[in-house]
Amino acid sequence: MSLLGAAAIRELAAALDLKPSKSLGQNFVIDSNICTKIVRIAGVTQDDIALEIGPGLGSLTLALLESAASVIAVEIDHRLATALPLTISRYSEHPENLTVIHADALSLEELHIQPTVLVANLPYNVSVPVLLHLLEILPSLNTGVVMVQAEVADRLAAKPGTKEYGIPSLKASWWAQVSGAGSVSRSIFWPVPGVDSKLVSFKRHETPGDDVMRKGVFQLVDAAFAQRRKMLRAALSGIFGSSAKAEAVLIAAGIDPTLRGEALLIDSFCAIYNASQSVK
Ligand code: SAM
């Protein structure tokens, strides 16, 4: 088995006459060391079925195949999805361990194989919706490491009271504990992106409630951050019909109505949701 370096990536791209698409976030990793590092940080073992979103030319896929029992790779770009098995049979000793699915990750509904770990250099423009969608539809996904735009990584892993804390941090924390896992230099990509990248890791935990509750809680989170400088009693007035009603719900939940959404953990949004079910 060998990994893909800059020359191999250039050769594969030239053979496909590939012009990287900005709208699909196509920045390919040309440094195999970073792929090995990501797989190591993710702690992938032979007990794992790895899910990769956006395998592109296959740099990370090859590194994953070295450590995981099998890999499921979901790629939206038809040319890349078609070329991947050929690349993998050329460079990997275990091409049979790869399943390629040509699909938009956002429209995946279920997989007949249950992945245990997500490892991906996510397309930047859809990284948060893809991550949240996968956590929702694939309960077998226990852990993962994803590479995303640096600002997005900071938002996903942010703690309350910081300027980065908001909707991505809160919604991700419904499903999992998210932590920063290091920075990545722009120079390891082709083409070199205009933004910095970071790694984030996640570990799934038990959710605070069922799917009905999640939808209600996410609606509260969206409303609380629609205008993040507003106090909760004003920010939630639309949902509850008036700021007086919002204040009554917040007090019943044990939350100071003059706080802003950025002060609250997901548990407090759950408390507001639960109080809203009993306060008439
Ligand atoms: N994994 C490769 C690497 O690290 O070199 C490529 C990563 S590149 C940042 C993102 C990849 O995601 C591209 O191959 C792109 O075609 C693919 N992609 C973009 N949007 C997607 C979507 N909605 N579903 C699945 N794949 C997508």
Side-chain angles (χ1 to χ4, degrees), residues 6-279:
I9 291 287
R10 261 195 303 274
E11 185 202 314
L12 289 167
L16 289 174
D17 193 22
L18 182 75
K19 311 267 177 298
S21 152
K22 239 186 165 163
S23 63
L24 291 180
Q26 291 180 343
N27 298 95
F28 303 101
V29 173
I30 54 169
D31 178 346
S32 58
N33 291 329
I34 188 75
C35 295
T36 311
K37 182 177 160 190
I38 293 171
V39 174
R40 192 180 62 239
I41 294 175
V44 177
T45 72
Q46 277 297 315
D47 293 331
D48 280 310
I49 299 173
L51 173 65
E52 183 186 8
I53 301 301
L57 292 164
S59 329
L60 189 53
T61 323
L62 276 164
L64 277 169
L65 280 165
E66 282 199 355
S67 297
S70 60
V71 177
I72 308 163
V74 178
E75 173 58 60
I76 199 171
D77 186 321
H78 173 69
R79 293 163 309 164
L80 294 175
T82 309
L84 187 62
L86 307 174
T87 307
I88 298 302
S89 358
R90 185 168 149 201
Y91 288 92
S92 166
E93 283 152 25
H94 298 290
E96 70 282 5
N97 292 344
L98 173 69
T99 304
V100 180
I101 300 175
H102 172 218
D104 178 346
L106 285 169
S107 28
L108 280 184
E109 277 173 8
E110 56 184 334
L111 295 172
H112 66 281
I113 318 167
Q114 301 302 314
T116 55
V117 60
L118 172 68
V119 182
N121 172 13
L122 289 175
Y124 286 5
N125 44 351
V126 288
S127 54
V128 172
V130 165
L131 180 61
L132 294 175
H133 180 62
L134 296 174
L135 285 165
E136 179 186 342
I137 63 159
L138 299 172
S140 60
L141 220 44
N142 274 322
T143 59
V145 171
V146 292
M147 178 144 62
V148 295
Q149 188 177 334
E151 288 76 11
V152 173
D154 292 343
R155 278 185 217 135
L156 282 167
K159 299 283 173 263
T162 61
K163 70 178 186 338
E164 291 82 15
Y165 190 68
I167 294 172
S169 346
L170 275 153
K171 289 188 178 174
S173 74
W174 172 274
W175 303 108
Q177 188 179 338
V178 182
S179 326
S183 303
V184 178
S185 159
R186 290 182 193 200
S187 65
I188 60 126
F189 296 100
W190 171 75
V192 176
V195 293
D196 290 318
S197 300
K198 283 188 179 174
L199 300 171
V200 290
S201 64
F202 69 83
K203 185 158 179 32
R204 186 186 284 276
H205 52 218
E206 206 173 315
T207 58
D210 63 14
D211 220 42
V212 174
M213 178 174 176
R214 179 181 65 77
K215 286 180 184 149
V217 169
F218 280 16
Q219 207 185 0
L220 290 169
V221 169
D222 287 333
F225 286 89
Q227 288 168 285
R228 67 180 289 144
R229 300 305 304 156
K230 274 195 176 173
M231 292 176 192
L232 284 166
R233 69 174 166 223
L236 302 183
S237 61
I239 287 193
F240 294 124
S242 68
S243 62
K245 174 81 189 296
E247 181 157 340
V249 172
L250 286 159
I251 289 168
I255 312 267
D256 177 352
T258 65
L259 288 177
R260 299 189 174 91
E262 64 198 19
L264 305 189
L265 287 165
I266 194 74
D267 292 354
S268 298
F269 280 96
C270 294
I272 300 170
Y273 173 83
N274 286 331
S276 74
Q277 302 300 297
S278 42
V279 174

